[in-house]
Amino acid sequence: MKTVLITGAGGGIGKQTALYFAKNNWTVIATLLHPSEGEDFKDFPSIFCYEMDVTSSESIASATKIILDNHPKIDTIINNAGMGYRSFVELSEDTKIDTIVNVNWLGVVKVCRAFIPSFRQQKYGQFINITSVAGLVNLPLGNFYHSTKQAVESFSECMAYELVDFNISVATVQFGNAPTSFQKNVTKCAPTEIFSYNKLMDKISKLLLDKSGKNEDLPQQIVEKLFKIAEKPNKNFRRYTIGFDANIMRILRRVLGYKIFNYIIRKFTLNK
């Protein structure tokens, strides 16, 4: 049996991915922010839960040691842990900016750093880093979320050059809004006296929530694609785009160019 480690496996896509891999004969290491999040895994003997806070270097180091003591060989690591923060730059808060950077970007960096020595020693391994359509294009109120996801894209590509000689592959996976609890749990700035800001926040939040509800088939598409990538790693760095939303955004941005694409986004989101 192959072994996969999935960060942020306590809910959403991470949880569905853990269950899918377990049902397809993989050993799953599910890292959780809180042990109670692993309740739904108790009937799966091939899923092993470990507490890990990806914002804490100490937590990552401690969990890594315990995990490698119990599972000396890991084939794939899926950096899935992530969060959203929807705010205007003017109204953004330091603590919330620090948190999203620490979870979405530095969490990926530190988890990769922790497991590279093990991968290098065993002469193989695979990192699959979850980004988003936010790693492809820039949309209103995505200041912080998009920045972190695009940082993961750049980080992953750079890291792939370093690791190719050790038979360690790197891939990123991008998709749009899936019907999970993610959008409902996005942290937002509070309403203000600035009418334009409140109007835009309401419009974007409703648009994303509505779109998430329509993508009913997307979670299954995501977990199946993640499984295929893990089953057959590509030696070279690859970006995988899943779902209609992400693919159409990628194609439109490339074909139309920045100016026309930007015009369409402004017309669709700001003037609708």
Side-chain angles (χ1 to χ4, degrees), residues 92-104:
S92 59
E93 301 175 43
D94 285 354
T95 55
K96 291 184 172 63
I97 295 172
D98 290 343
T99 300
I100 192 170
V101 170
N102 286 331
V103 173
N104 289 7

Side-chain angles (χ1 to χ4, degrees), residues 11-12 14 18 22 35 43 58 65 73 107-108 129 133 188 197 237:
D43 294 329
E58 293 76 15
K65 184 180 185 310
K73 289 191 176 183
V108 174
N129 297 331
V133 65
K188 305 173 189 174
Y197 281 178
F237 175 73

Side-chain angles (χ1 to χ4, degrees):
M1 293 177 69
K2 290 185 176 182
T3 299
V4 61
L5 183 153
I6 305 169
T7 67
I13 294 298
K15 177 180 176 180
Q16 293 179 54
T17 303
L19 293 170
Y20 188 85
F21 272 72
K23 292 173 183 177
N24 284 275
N25 302 315
W26 278 58
T27 295
V28 177
I29 300 166
T31 75
L32 313 168
L33 184 58
H34 305 291
S36 59
E37 293 175 333
E39 184 67 21
D40 290 337
F41 299 146
K42 63 182 181 181
D43 294 329
F44 292 84
S46 61
I47 299 181
F48 300 86
C49 297
Y50 295 88
E51 187 174 357
M52 179 192 287
D53 179 357
V54 299
T55 70
S56 166
S57 297
E58 293 76 15
S59 175
I60 292 172
S62 175
T64 300
K65 184 180 185 310
I66 297 170
I67 289 169
L68 290 177
D69 284 345
N70 295 331
H71 309 274
K73 289 191 176 183
I74 298 172
D75 297 272
T76 299
I77 291 176
I78 300 178
N79 279 301
N80 163 76
M83 62 168 293
Y85 176 37
R86 193 174 301 143
S87 177
F88 303 92
V89 174
E90 178 185 355
L91 305 178
S92 59
E93 301 175 43
D94 285 354
T95 55
K96 291 184 172 63
I97 295 172
D98 290 343
T99 300
I100 192 170
V101 170
N102 286 331
V103 173
N104 289 7
W105 180 52
L106 289 178
V108 174
V109 172
K110 292 178 179 181
V111 169
C112 289
R113 182 178 64 183
F115 286 94
I116 286 173
S118 175
F119 278 0
R120 190 164 45 77
Q121 186 176 17
Q122 68 190 25
K123 296 183 173 60
Y124 69 88
Q126 178 188 39
F127 290 108
I128 302 175
N129 297 331
I130 304 295
T131 59
S132 162
V133 65
L136 292 171
V137 298
N138 298 305
L139 302 173
L141 293 183
N143 308 306
F144 306 103
Y145 184 70
H146 287 244
S147 298
T148 57
K149 291 302 184 179
Q150 291 185 23
V152 172
E153 286 287 348
S154 296
F155 166 77
S156 301
E157 184 173 356
C158 291
M159 182 175 67
Y161 294 123
E162 302 173 17
L163 302 179
V164 66
D165 284 349
F166 306 107
N167 195 32
I168 302 171
S169 67
V170 182
T172 60
V173 173
Q174 308 147 346
F175 48 84
N177 292 294
T180 67
S181 59
F182 183 85
Q183 285 298 333
K184 294 179 181 179
N185 293 332
V186 168
T187 301
K188 305 173 189 174
C189 66
T192 76
E193 297 178 354
I194 305 172
F195 174 76
S196 174
Y197 281 178
N198 293 336
K199 181 181 178 182
L200 182 57
M201 175 65 77
D202 291 343
K203 183 179 295 186
I204 296 300
S205 297
K206 183 179 185 304
L207 179 67
L208 294 176
L209 197 59
D210 289 348
K211 190 60 181 173
S212 298
K214 294 176 181 177
N215 291 336
E216 295 180 358
D217 298 332
L218 186 56
Q220 188 64 24
Q221 293 177 38
I222 293 168
V223 298
E224 289 178 0
K225 186 64 174 180
L226 289 172
F227 185 77
K228 289 180 181 179
I229 298 169
E231 281 276 272
K232 192 175 181 180
N234 194 304
K235 181 179 180 181
N236 299 314
F237 175 73
R238 288 287 306 273
R239 288 186 172 93
Y240 297 91
T241 307
I242 306 173
F244 176 81
D245 292 352
N247 275 294
I248 197 66
M249 286 288 190
R250 175 177 58 82
I251 293 169
L252 287 176
R253 178 64 181 264
R254 185 181 71 240
V255 172
L256 298 178
Y258 167 73
K259 288 186 178 180
I260 298 178
F261 181 82
N262 178 265
Y263 173 79
I264 291 173
I265 294 300
R266 283 190 288 111
K267 291 290 289 184
F268 184 70
T269 60
L270 304 183
N271 299 324
K272 189 175 178 181

